[in-house]
Amino acid sequence: MNYQQIIRNVYSDILQKENKGKVPDYIPEIACIDESKFGVNFTDLDLNTFGCGDFEEKFSIQSISKVFALSFVYEKLGEKLWERVDVEPSGNAFNSLIQLEADHGIPRNPFINAGALVICDILLEISENPKEELLHFIRDLSEDHQIFFNEKVASSEMENSFRNAAMCNFMKSFGNIKNQPDAVIELYCHLCSIEMTCKQLSNSFLYLANGGKKPSSNKQFLSYSKAKRINAILLTCGFYDESGEFSFLVGLPGKSGVGGGIVAILPQKYCIAVWSPRLNEKGNSYRGMKFLEEFTTQTGESIF
Ligand code: GLN
């Protein structure tokens, strides 16, 4: 399979087509991003890697970082974690509050905002320096120390975190948030503000394509069973209320973020990251979805 050729062709094809969607306006620091940015990077388990376009430019990974936070907490806490967050698709927007009441403050899954807030609350409980430990974990996974929080993006989001604050307070009323909501939101906004390139992302997610183990170092970050389960949640919940559509069109587990990034995984084979800031109405990158749909169509490979 000549992945490189296929990626080049699909990239130039998508580039020529109209770019639709909008950048999110509720986080002022990412609202001003250049909307024409477009990058793709592919890395396989033999560490062959190549990219197209803006693949070496850093962007705000936003909700993609929820996968790192979940991996970190799941490895430490084990199956007890699922007492506080469920593994069902929500069928609702990532920042929706409506199910929390009926579900007694237990978020549907760890990839909607409510779920990630609970993960951050657990992080505050189990770690002395959660920000540093999390960054360290992500740098370890990426084998790259040049990964940082963007403090401006974090503060910009903290100043506009009214919905996240509402969720956090509401879950606290059910006893599913143990720390002060402000501390949970501060950690959550830092988590979302992490910046990475497509190249760094496609390399760092290889552990999920390889049963929890980084192929470069053979370091086991997660057990096979936990990696399998995270992939399952990515497939069913990685794109919020568009998870069914992504699975239908692309056929790979993956995760999006409102910074315009998408990471997708073909277990036992590769990891691919795409970045294009304009989002469709569900909050997923318009070109990212189009690119991956065409990519798996042309390769004829998916998990199905
Ligand atoms: N920081 C964003 C928020 O909390 C993350 C959402 C996303 O990427 N889908 O709204």
Side-chain angles (χ1 to χ4, degrees), residues 5 20 32 38 57 71-72 80 114 116 118-119 125 142 161-163 169 184 186 193 227 231 250 259-260 301:
Q5 192 58 48
K20 295 190 189 157
C32 53
F38 186 24
E57 188 165 329
S71 300
F72 183 80
K80 254 169 72 81
V118 169
I119 299 287
E125 286 174 75
S142 315
S161 250
F162 307 110
R163 288 190 76 89
N169 281 286
V184 177
E186 204 246 351
S193 80
N231 281 325
V250 179
E301 289 180 336

Side-chain angles (χ1 to χ4, degrees), residues 26-27 30 60-64 66 94-95 111 113 153 157 161 163-164 167 188-189 191-193 240 255-260 279 282-284:
Y26 74 101
I27 306 172
I30 58 173
S60 194
I61 70 168
Q62 292 293 318
S63 281
I64 296 173
K66 291 173 180 164
F94 61 84
N95 55 4
F111 296 145
N113 288 14
V153 171
E157 186 163 6
S161 250
R163 288 190 76 89
N164 289 328
M167 274 173 231
Y188 172 84
C189 291
L191 177 66
C192 292
S193 80
Y240 321 111
K255 184 76 201 80
S256 63
V258 291
L279 310 179
K282 305 284 188 184
N284 298 316

Side-chain angles (χ1 to χ4, degrees), residues 28-148:
E29 269 299 317
I30 58 173
C32 53
I33 194 91
D34 177 352
E35 299 184 4
S36 67
K37 295 287 176 190
F38 186 24
V40 179
N41 199 89
F42 170 100
T43 311
D44 69 15
L45 291 192
D46 297 324
L47 307 177
N48 298 306
T49 184
F50 49 86
C52 268
D54 302 308
F55 69 101
E56 286 181 304
E57 188 165 329
K58 286 196 175 180
F59 62 94
S60 194
I61 70 168
Q62 292 293 318
S63 281
I64 296 173
S65 63
K66 291 173 180 164
V67 187
F68 296 134
L70 172 65
S71 300
F72 183 80
V73 166
Y74 190 19
E75 187 51 24
K76 290 217 182 307
L77 222 68
E79 305 308 317
K80 254 169 72 81
L81 170 64
W82 310 119
E83 291 168 14
R84 292 185 57 188
V85 55
D86 208 344
V87 294
E88 291 299 335
S90 69
N92 274 301
F94 61 84
N95 55 4
S96 170
L97 283 131
I98 56 176
Q99 286 164 335
L100 282 176
E101 171 121 58
D103 294 342
H104 308 286
I106 306 290
R108 283 284 166 108
N109 66 67
F111 296 145
I112 49 173
N113 288 14
L117 287 164
V118 169
I119 299 287
C120 285
D121 186 54
I122 297 172
L123 258 165
L124 285 166
E125 286 174 75
I126 63 175
S127 157
E128 291 210 346
N129 287 307
K131 272 194 251 172
E132 288 71 18
E133 280 192 44
L134 201 58
L135 201 55
H136 184 78
F137 178 72
I138 298 170
R139 287 173 172 173
D140 248 17
L141 268 180
S142 315
E143 295 149 324
D144 190 332
H145 285 261
Q146 296 307 308
I147 296 173
F148 304 96

